[in-house]
């Protein structure tokens, strides 16, 4: 499953992060923490839970959790992960599945197609005289998603 938030897309199975269609280098441990936080955004994840899931059977200090959370905050902004004193961490950015974001665009009459030459194009039947509606600002992100996600056509 791929999740989209802000300008980012995160493939949970592959632990692969991209922004605007470009791969972002993310080490395995921060990617595992991101997957844990982003898939359960309503839950507060304790340091012990994170340690047990990301470093199972290894003896590491709680400092590694703090460092990896700091790395994720550097990527996504301080507002992305909230710290609850003596409780843990919680994901704060709104997320949607990539498929849901594309379906929402389709409901607005936008088609995103991926062509065999690895270039994506958008078509908006409501666009007139080169004037784009304000919501089309998200089009570049979704074009990149189409390029990453393979052949996608919504009608």
């Amino acid at each position: 499953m791929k999740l989209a938030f802000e300008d980012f897309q995160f493939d949970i199975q592959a632990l692969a992060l991209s922004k605007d269609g470009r791969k972002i280098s993310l080490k395995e441990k921060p990617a595992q923490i991101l997957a844990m936080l982003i898939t359960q955004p309503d839950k507060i994840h304790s340091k012990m839970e994170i340690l047990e899931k990301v470093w199972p059977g290894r003896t590491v200090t709680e400092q590694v959790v703090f460092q990896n959370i700091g790395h994720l905050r550097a990527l996504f902004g301080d507002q992305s992960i909230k710290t609850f004193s003596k409780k843990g961490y919680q994901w704060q950015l709104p997320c949607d599945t990539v498929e849901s974001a594309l379906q929402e665009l389709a409901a607005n009459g936008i088609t995103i197609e991926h062509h065999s030459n690895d270039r994506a194009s958008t078509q908006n039947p409501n666009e007139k005289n080169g004037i784009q509606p304000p919501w089309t600002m998200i089009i570049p992100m979704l074009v990149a998603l189409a390029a990453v996600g393979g052949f996608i056509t919504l009608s």
Side-chain angles (χ1 to χ4, degrees):
M1 172 174 40
K2 294 181 184 179
L3 294 175
F5 55 95
E6 293 189 338
D7 295 336
F8 295 93
Q9 303 83 44
F10 184 64
D11 184 328
I12 294 169
Q13 283 79 26
L15 297 177
L17 179 68
S18 61
K19 181 177 182 180
D20 297 326
R22 285 182 241 125
K23 185 177 179 184
I24 304 288
S25 178
L26 186 61
K27 292 184 178 181
E28 181 181 359
K29 298 304 183 185
Q32 289 175 340
I33 294 171
L34 176 60
M36 180 187 301
L37 294 172
I38 204 169
T39 56
Q40 297 177 310
D42 295 331
K43 181 177 179 187
I44 298 172
H45 301 271
S46 71
K47 285 182 187 176
M48 289 308 295
E49 176 190 357
I50 294 170
L51 286 169
E52 289 170 4
K53 288 188 180 179
V54 178
W55 290 273
R58 294 194 53 203
T59 304
V60 295
T61 67
E62 291 181 358
Q63 184 67 21
V64 297
V65 174
F66 178 76
Q67 290 171 340
N68 282 277
I69 293 290
H71 179 70
L72 294 172
R73 284 182 176 142
L75 277 173
F76 309 124
D78 288 339
Q79 77 287 356
S80 61
I81 301 169
K82 184 174 182 178
T83 301
F84 289 86
S85 182
K86 301 186 192 260
K87 292 183 181 177
Y89 303 96
Q90 184 182 41
W91 185 253
Q92 298 294 302
L93 301 178
C95 295
D96 206 355
T97 62
V98 170
E99 294 79 15
S100 295
L102 293 173
Q103 289 171 353
E104 189 174 318
L105 282 178
N108 288 317
I110 297 173
T111 303
I112 297 180
E113 298 177 9
H114 183 263
H115 301 282
S116 60
N117 65 358
D118 289 329
R119 296 188 67 189
S121 64
T122 61
Q123 300 167 342
N124 178 359
N126 299 322
E127 196 172 310
K128 295 180 181 172
N129 300 327
I131 299 172
Q132 296 181 348
W135 49 264
T136 60
M137 295 171 67
I138 62 171
I139 298 299
M141 177 188 78
L142 293 168
V143 169
L145 287 172
V148 171
F151 183 81
I152 298 174
T153 302
L154 297 175
S155 54

